[in-house]
Amino acid sequence: MDWERDGSVPENVFQKFAAANMLVPCLPAPLPVEWLKRLGIHDILETVKVEDWDYIHTAIFTDEMSRSGLQGPPASLTIYSYAIPPILKFGSKQLQERFLPDLLLAKKRICIAITEPEAGSDVAGIQTTATKTTDGKHYIVNGTKKWITNGLWSSYATMAVRTSGPGPAGLSLLLVPLLNHPGVSMRRIKVAGHTTSGTTFIELDEVQVPVENLIGEEGQGMKYIMTNFNHERLTIAIGVTRQARVALAAAFEYCMQREAFGKTLLEQPVVRHRLAKAGALLESQWAWIEQFVYQMTKLKKAEADVELGGLTALAKAQAGIVLDECARCAVLLFGGNGYTTTGRGEIAERIYREVPGARIPGGSEDVMLDLAVRQLVKNYQGRTKVLERPKGPSKI
């Protein structure tokens, strides 16, 4: 809580996690085993071999990182993992050799820079441009990025840029240098919650980036971004669900102690009713998350993207809805204490302030709900088409 009040996590915390290779679990499972072993990383805490790490381990790790009930501190440590997978999956060999050793060993930090002032969930509306120089050796990047988590202390960004015409076909991913790089200026954005996560506004003015920093192929950026979202949304859903549990648990404990009208709050039927309604939503959400995690251990990546893509968006949206209910329940039951930024109800007040941080980043709630239905319809139409009888005279 002190870190959130101060607005930053001490640098030595990141260094301790890095030294113990405990930032590696932030990456999507299965882990990049070949790369990790090349760098001397063979296991996690001498307990799980890197080749045995799966999404069940990821869920446990993510859940534990959120056990404080605050999303700022874990975000300050783990968000960099969203920026590395595109390099692993689509980056050229020379790009990987240049950057992955320092990134996987957490000697350098990296952020994912997609969102802009005029393009949030509408990724296809990105306006930041990357234009090749006449000699073809560099991209010149101009534009702005907003609400970029960890940007302040990142040496690089996996950045969505426009390399050609409008729409998704004009987007590419570029590895852009940030800290102390000419033409790059960054400043902190003050947000309601997640204060330690380093939310950043980035301005790019004639920033020169080698063409070798292109991730994959030009024009494929939208595809790369979409394949990156499922891991992000699932881990958000896991962390947010834990946050909801912390809020409700704090309220439950308080209600067992606080007395009103001659008995504890927990002895009041109306209080038990409110806790029960929030608890039912919470336990249903966690059961769904566990189902997702199990499926992720059984499906191949390409299959999971199709079968679970829409449902992952739905789970992320539902996690925010559940957090809203549990956090509101906690604040109301704490009463005046829940409306106070210090004292017994501080955790409830703080979590309730972070609810928008669960419902907006990673895909805003309404966009996620719409995406889920569209994806389910698409899958349904694809499967029914396979079952259709071929046109022509029947052979029966």
Side-chain angles (χ1 to χ4, degrees):
M1 194 70 79
D2 289 340
W3 297 344
E4 277 291 295
R5 294 193 200 99
D6 296 339
S8 62
V9 174
E11 178 63 24
N12 71 300
V13 175
F14 184 88
Q15 299 305 330
K16 285 180 179 179
F17 270 76
N21 297 319
M22 281 303 288
L23 295 173
V24 172
C26 307
L27 295 169
L31 299 176
V33 175
E34 183 178 345
W35 263 106
L36 293 176
K37 289 191 172 183
R38 271 184 58 183
L39 298 172
I41 302 173
H42 297 275
D43 54 61
I44 305 299
L45 295 181
E46 300 182 353
T47 302
V48 183
K49 294 180 179 179
V50 292
E51 60 265 34
D52 293 335
W53 188 274
D54 62 21
Y55 259 100
I56 292 176
H57 298 103
T58 300
I60 295 170
F61 174 82
T62 305
D63 182 63
E64 289 297 327
M65 289 292 285
S66 301
R67 189 169 283 272
S68 70
L70 304 174
Q71 287 300 313
S76 74
L77 299 171
T78 64
I79 294 296
Y80 94 114
S81 65
Y82 301 154
I84 295 177
I87 304 170
L88 283 165
K89 295 174 188 173
F90 309 111
S92 66
K93 185 172 178 58
Q94 63 86 16
L95 185 73
Q96 293 178 354
E97 293 291 343
R98 284 167 56 208
F99 292 103
L100 283 181
D102 280 351
L103 294 176
L104 291 174
L105 292 172
K107 293 180 179 178
K108 296 282 181 71
R109 296 203 199 190
I110 187 171
C111 62
I112 185 85
I114 309 294
T115 307
E116 298 181 2
E118 303 300 327
S121 297
D122 180 17
V123 176
I126 282 172
Q127 298 174 8
T128 296
T129 59
T131 307
K132 274 186 182 177
T133 55
T134 53
D135 62 9
K137 293 182 178 180
H138 293 87
Y139 287 101
I140 303 300
V141 181
N142 286 283
T144 56
K145 295 291 177 181
K146 194 173 184 181
W147 301 293
I148 305 305
T149 306
N150 288 193
L152 280 173
W153 42 72
S154 291
S155 298
Y156 312 105
T158 295
M159 187 175 293
V161 295
R162 188 163 297 285
T163 50
S164 59
L171 297 180
S172 302
L173 281 185
L174 194 63
L175 192 60
V176 178
L178 292 183
L179 278 178
N180 303 316
H181 193 73
V184 177
S185 61
M186 297 189 286
R187 60 180 172 82
R188 177 169 238 151
I189 301 174
K190 292 184 178 180
V191 290
H194 302 193
T195 57
T196 56
S197 65
T199 307
T200 308
F201 186 87
I202 304 174
E203 295 180 271
L204 305 132
D205 182 17
E206 298 291 301
V207 177
Q208 195 175 78
V209 181
V211 293
E212 291 82 8
N213 282 27
L214 178 69
I215 299 174
E217 301 176 6
E218 276 195 8
Q220 296 296 306
M222 190 69 171
K223 172 187 172 184
Y224 301 159
I225 293 166
M226 290 299 107
T227 62
N228 211 42
F229 273 147
N230 287 344
H231 172 71
E232 177 181 359
R233 289 168 182 161
L234 181 55
T235 53
I236 288 173
I238 294 168
V240 167
T241 305
R242 166 55 65 179
Q243 199 172 14
R245 187 175 296 281
V246 172
L248 203 59
F252 202 101
E253 181 180 16
Y254 180 78
C255 289
M256 293 178 69
Q257 300 168 356
R258 173 76 173 184
E259 291 190 2
F261 306 106
K263 51 187 174 183
T264 65
L265 291 181
L266 204 59
E267 292 177 282
Q268 315 280 353
V270 68
V271 171
R272 295 198 298 270
H273 179 73
R274 187 177 287 279
L275 285 168
K277 285 202 305 181
L281 285 174
L282 174 60
E283 296 303 339
S284 298
Q285 172 68 9
W286 184 245
W288 194 19
I289 292 295
E290 288 187 321
Q291 181 188 81
F292 261 94
V293 170
Y294 177 78
Q295 287 175 306
M296 291 295 287
T297 67
K298 301 301 178 183
L299 296 176
K300 294 180 179 178
K301 175 68 169 64
E303 190 179 6
D305 284 345
V306 173
E307 298 296 330
L308 302 180
L311 291 173
T312 304
L314 195 60
K316 188 267 178 188
Q318 179 68 3
I321 294 169
V322 171
L323 175 61
D324 185 36
E325 178 64 28
C326 291
R328 190 176 338 112
C329 173
V331 168
L332 290 173
L333 293 178
F334 269 100
N337 286 321
Y339 193 56
T340 307
T341 59
T342 57
R344 297 184 69 182
E346 180 178 9
I347 187 65
E349 187 277 337
R350 180 76 65 169
I351 291 175
Y352 191 55
R353 200 191 313 166
E354 292 194 356
V355 169
R359 302 179 80 170
I360 299 171
S364 63
E365 187 174 294
D366 291 320
V367 174
M368 293 296 93
L369 295 172
D370 179 67
L371 172 63
V373 175
R374 287 190 290 109
Q375 187 66 45
L376 289 169
V377 170
K378 182 179 177 181
N379 288 352
Y380 170 79
Q381 291 173 335
R383 289 188 175 182
T384 54
K385 190 172 182 179
V386 171
L387 296 174
E388 287 178 0
R389 180 180 296 174
K391 294 182 179 180
S394 174
K395 296 183 179 179
I396 297 178

